Structures are given as C-alpha cells and as structure tokens.
Amino acid sequence: MSASHTLLKLARQLHLYIGVFIAPAVLFFAFTGGLQVFGLHESSRGSDYKPPAWLAVAAQLHKKQTDVLPQRRARPVENAQPGATPVPVVSAELAKPAAPLRHPLPLKIFSAFVSLGLFISTLLGLYMAYRYTRKHVVISVLLVAGTIFPIVLTLL
C-alpha cells in the first residue's frame, strides 16, 4: 500500500468514528436549533403561551450548556409608593426611534430548512456507517458513548 493510500484510509476511519461519536450531539443541536428559529422555546410578555418544560430545558442546553432555567425578574417600576399606581420604567434604548422593520421570515425558513437538512444528513450518515462497515460493535459503542457522554457532563 502506498503512503497516500494509507493516509486516505486513516482519514476515512477517523471521519467515520468521529462522525458517529458526535452524531447524537449534531442531531440534538439541529433539532433544538430548528425549534428555536421560531421561538417555540420561550414565551413572550403578554402571551399566554407557555413552552413545554422539555423544550425550555433543551433550548437552555443548546444556548448556555446548562439545564438550569433562568428565573424571569419583574420589571422595575417608578413611584413605588404605597397605594400609588406603578408606572413601568422606560429605558433610553426603548425611547430611540425604531430601525426600519425587516421581514425575518425568509431567513427563518432558510434556517429551519438547514436544520432539517443537517438532521436528515446526519441520520443518513449513521445509516451508511452501519450499512458499509463490518465493525458494527465499534459503531454501536461510539454511538452510545456519544449519547451518554454529554448526559454525564450535564449531570456533573
């Protein structure tokens, strides 16, 4: 075997093993990122929508690498005298004139499409890893390790 052939074989094996190990994380980030594009992980003020707990935790893991959800603080008020009607504080940033509105929907649709494409591509890669290798045990162990390892790190 020539040196270039040996190097190419090694590169393919590294690609296979690393790809299978990180595939669960790629699937997680593709899925949660796709949901975050449309803001399904958070509620907005004045809305009665409350995201499911699993979605809020998954989004927090995606964004901040922690499963601890931050607590929303109440907005500060001025004239907080007993019996007085509270008046919300308006920050200087809110008082500035708004920038021209852009329509984010086309970019959101594209981002969701990329997320779906990444998810499907990763699943196809896992299928090919099992289909075109003789080392099914190694692939299975790497896939399980790639799933369990981040869970253990989250619990530490």
Side-chain angles (χ1 to χ4, degrees), residues 16-133:
L16 171 67
Y17 297 148
I18 292 171
V20 169
F21 181 73
I22 67 169
V26 172
L27 290 171
F28 172 79
F29 284 116
F31 179 70
T32 56
L35 293 175
Q36 287 180 34
V37 166
F38 295 103
L40 299 175
H41 64 290
E42 58 190 7
S43 60
S44 58
R45 294 184 193 268
S47 171
D48 58 350
Y49 172 72
K50 183 168 169 67
W54 69 267
L55 184 55
V57 170
Q60 189 68 7
L61 280 169
H62 183 107
K63 294 187 301 185
K64 304 287 185 178
Q65 294 77 47
T66 181
D67 60 346
V68 178
L69 295 174
Q71 298 296 322
R72 287 198 171 212
R73 292 178 285 173
R75 295 176 69 180
V77 293
E78 283 184 7
N79 303 331
Q81 300 171 357
T85 304
V87 178
V89 175
V90 177
S91 69
E93 292 178 3
L94 294 177
K96 293 180 183 177
L101 291 177
R102 294 190 177 138
H103 300 286
L105 187 60
L107 185 57
K108 286 184 177 195
I109 290 171
F110 176 75
S111 297
F113 179 72
V114 169
S115 175
L116 179 65
L118 181 60
F119 195 86
I120 291 171
S121 177
T122 303
L123 286 176
L124 287 172
L126 286 173
Y127 167 75
M128 289 188 297
Y130 275 108
R131 178 81 168 102
Y132 299 111
T133 189

